[in-house]
Amino acid sequence: MRIDILTLFPGMFRGFLDESILRLARERQIVEIHLWDIRDYTDDKHRKVDDRPYGGGPGMVMMPGPVFAAAEAADAAAEPPARKLLLTPQGRVLNQPLARELAAEPRLMLICGRYEGFDERIHVGLQADELSIGDYVLAGGEAAAMVVVEAVVRLLPGALGDPDSAAFESFEGGTLDHPQYTRPPVYRDMAVPEVLLSGNHERVRLWRAERARERTLRRRPDLAAVKVDRGQ
Ligand code: 9D3
């Protein structure tokens, strides 16, 4: 997969892309990620990327010219044309099925905004889908783009060391994870549940399923409800 990221702050991505799973996936050539500085696609001496909203109101709006020019340059850099995603609070909210859908694309273009938002002609003219990562207010699209990249890249075949771990996870199974323990067996007077030390795999499996179900009902009844609706 190829991912192009358009941003006013490419420096925010460097550490993120150079560590852990993103570094490994890039080294293994599972994903190729390119950063584009939207300010490089301005044509005035002040390198202006935002302007005041028509109709008045607070804040500034991302101008169409630099974003279109950067998106066209990125699209022309490879084939096929990218699926374009505009990170905005108004977008479809990212969830695991959408991450899976995006992971099946050959190319993604993530367009990050700052200020109050994008000129509407950007999403209309570029045929970009709007994407949010949840109902809280960020200062711009960059952190959201990193969330999308991490959620998608870990699903690409070969990106995780263990090929099973992506299939067994929370949300796709419809429940939260059960509690986990590792050594030592007692830490600061807190003991690991006896069943996990028993060696009885059937008891362990049942205990984990019960704890996962209990947690899901208490903390995320919305997820538990999805599971009932599907008749699982
Ligand atoms: C919804 C708030 N807006 C009302 C005036 C102003 C506004 C706040 C924050 C406009 C843009 C932003 C910057 N946010 C993003 O760029 C963003 C975002 C987010 O804030 N929450 C969840 N997902 C995303 S994706 C991009």
Side-chain angles (χ1 to χ4, degrees):
M1 168 181 279
R2 173 176 171 132
I3 304 177
D4 293 276
I5 301 172
L6 279 55
T7 172
L8 292 171
F9 300 103
M12 289 179 70
F13 291 88
R14 308 249 184 241
F16 171 70
L17 295 175
D18 287 345
E19 302 279 357
S20 186
I21 182 181
L22 268 301
R23 180 173 61 79
L24 277 170
R26 291 169 63 217
E27 282 174 3
R28 292 172 179 159
Q29 297 180 31
I30 288 159
V31 68
E32 188 183 318
I33 301 181
H34 297 263
L35 295 169
W36 302 79
D37 186 338
I38 295 169
R39 207 175 290 280
D40 290 342
Y41 295 86
T42 51
D43 51 18
D44 65 312
K45 72 170 182 196
H46 296 108
R47 312 227 302 157
K48 191 171 147 69
V49 294
D50 61 318
D51 208 336
R52 291 173 300 169
Y54 276 123
M60 300 291 270
V61 174
M62 297 275 289
M63 297 160 57
V67 177
F68 265 83
E72 283 164 2
D75 241 0
E79 290 285 345
R83 170 147 177 199
K84 297 170 190 68
L85 299 166
L86 216 50
L87 284 310
T88 78
Q90 287 75 43
R92 176 175 170 192
V93 179
L94 182 68
N95 58 15
Q96 197 60 23
L98 180 54
R100 287 229 168 256
E101 180 185 320
L102 298 178
E105 298 279 354
R107 260 193 98 177
L108 298 175
M109 187 185 298
L110 302 177
I111 307 174
C112 307
R114 287 272 147 175
Y115 320 112
E116 288 304 298
F118 296 95
D119 184 301
E120 188 67 8
R121 292 164 294 187
I122 292 171
H123 100 249
V124 175
L126 290 177
Q127 296 183 37
D129 297 326
E130 291 188 67
L131 183 57
S132 163
I133 62 161
D135 295 337
Y136 36 82
V137 182
L138 301 174
E142 284 76 13
M146 291 184 218
V147 167
V148 175
V149 168
E150 190 161 302
V152 167
V153 170
R154 65 179 292 285
L155 293 174
L156 300 177
L160 292 183
D162 173 5
D164 284 345
S165 39
F168 273 97
E169 67 202 338
S170 227
F171 300 111
E172 293 191 285
T175 65
L176 301 180
D177 284 343
H178 53 73
Q180 316 241 39
Y181 296 87
T182 186
R183 294 192 296 175
V186 179
Y187 181 72
R188 299 197 180 188
D189 289 338
M190 294 177 284
V192 173
E194 177 276 325
V195 54
L196 299 179
L197 309 174
S198 70
N200 183 331
H201 299 304
E202 183 57 14
R203 276 186 69 212
V204 168
R205 200 186 57 74
L206 272 170
W207 182 88
R208 285 178 167 168
E210 282 164 10
R211 294 292 85 72
R213 184 75 186 157
E214 179 181 87
R215 274 185 163 184
T216 307
L217 284 168
R218 272 195 194 289
R219 301 184 191 179
R220 294 294 306 276
D222 56 319
L223 289 182
V226 168
K227 214 179 171 190
V228 168
D229 288 347
R230 284 187 187 139
Q232 288 174 328

